[in-house]
Amino acid sequence: AQSVAQPEDQVNVAEGNPLTVKCTYSVSGNPYLFWYVQYPNRGLQFLLKYITGDNLVKGSYGFEAEFNKSQTSFHLKKPSALVSDSALYFCAAKTGANNLFFGTGTRLTVIP
Amino acid sequence: DTAVSQTPKYLVTQMGNDKSIKCEQNLGHDTMYWYKQDSKKFLKIMFSYNNKELIINETVPNRFSPKSPDKAHLNLHINSLELGDSAVYFCASSQEASGRTDTQYFGPGTRLTVL
């Protein structure tokens, strides 16, 4: 079965420190990988996606993610966290024309 | 300009009632979706729909039915509401379902509470 795992329900990081939100996937075929962010009482906002090519993908708000095929991971990173980055982050994957399926989400809290 | 909009934002109703949630997108996309987010924030696809095909997640009860008056709208109608239907429902759209790399854009969500 295809799945996306976000092993950490909660990540806390101090403002100004680098942050990482982890994601691993299990899919058949070549995956297309996405990160979305959900602020309180808001819909999901697209951050970035990996389709092919360079394993390091840069997205909105200074976020980036690294595709690692051997480890089947697509961790989200940011060099310096802001308090305003505090939100719920979802990793998602799809293969071919199949539907997008999501991980369970990771709540990021940036501490001032 | 709102790309994907949903109404209402909040919906509180009694068990057994029938209700609808409306969704509109002004992105010119061909495909629209409905997702359910439960109390644990888990997101699950319910339907994807374009002018050619309706794909239904087989785990969705047939009390749920999508209705699309035109390409820019996909409404969700729910019959005989149950307590377990309480959740946040998100509408989304993408350029086309067969576009493997297409990004989906989400609406702000509708929080449904069934009493």
Side-chain angles (χ1 to χ4, degrees):
Chain A
Q2 303 189 100
S3 64
V4 173
Q6 294 181 241
E8 300 160 316
D9 291 337
Q10 174 81 42
V11 170
N12 296 326
V13 63
E15 186 177 23
N17 281 3
L19 69 87
T20 298
V21 183
K22 296 180 180 178
C23 171
T24 59
Y25 62 91
S26 174
V27 302
S28 56
N30 293 321
Y32 304 100
L33 300 163
F34 301 77
W35 275 102
Y36 285 84
V37 58
Q38 184 179 21
Y39 296 102
N41 300 315
R42 301 282 297 276
L44 278 72
Q45 294 181 30
F46 169 73
L47 276 180
L48 51 81
K49 66 183 178 183
Y50 171 80
I51 304 302
T52 187
D54 194 347
N55 289 342
L56 184 64
V57 178
K58 294 187 182 297
S60 306
Y61 313 121
F63 284 93
E64 58 188 28
E66 186 168 10
F67 172 64
N68 187 318
K69 189 172 183 177
S70 63
Q71 297 185 5
T72 63
S73 68
F74 189 56
H75 300 332
L76 181 70
K77 299 181 180 184
K78 186 173 182 179
S80 178
L82 300 172
V83 173
S84 58
D85 293 329
S86 298
L88 189 58
Y89 290 80
F90 288 94
C91 182
K94 67 184 299 189
T95 56
N98 294 328
N99 284 327
L100 194 62
F101 49 95
F102 286 83
T104 51
T106 298
R107 187 167 300 282
L108 172 68
T109 300
V110 180
I111 303 165
Chain B
D1 290 340
T2 302
V4 182
S5 60
Q6 296 177 228
T7 54
K9 189 173 182 179
Y10 300 97
L11 182 55
V12 181
T13 188
Q14 300 287 332
M15 278 176 54
N17 284 351
D18 302 338
K19 290 293 179 185
S20 292
I21 305 172
K22 296 183 178 181
C23 177
E24 177 181 3
Q25 54 95 4
N26 63 6
L27 297 168
H29 287 167
D30 291 328
T31 303
M32 298 182 72
Y33 310 81
W34 277 105
Y35 287 85
K36 180 180 180 181
Q37 186 177 45
D38 63 23
S39 58
K40 296 183 179 180
K41 303 296 184 182
F42 184 65
L43 268 166
K44 191 170 184 180
I45 183 76
M46 299 177 72
F47 304 100
S48 64
Y49 183 85
N50 63 21
N51 58 3
K52 300 174 184 176
E53 188 177 13
L54 170 65
I55 301 173
I56 301 173
N57 184 323
E58 61 185 13
T59 66
V60 176
N62 57 14
R63 297 181 294 104
F64 290 79
S65 58
K67 299 184 190 301
S68 180
D70 55 59
K71 196 174 80 167
H73 297 83
L74 182 66
N75 303 325
L76 181 64
H77 190 75
I78 316 170
N79 289 329
S80 303
L81 277 156
E82 301 178 357
L83 292 176
D85 297 333
S86 296
V88 180
Y89 292 84
F90 287 101
C91 178
S93 72
S94 67
Q95 183 61 44
E96 56 179 303
S98 61
R100 294 173 296 175
T101 65
D102 283 345
T103 299
Q104 292 183 20
Y105 294 89
F106 285 77
T110 295
R111 183 176 296 277
L112 171 64
T113 303
V114 182
L115 304 175

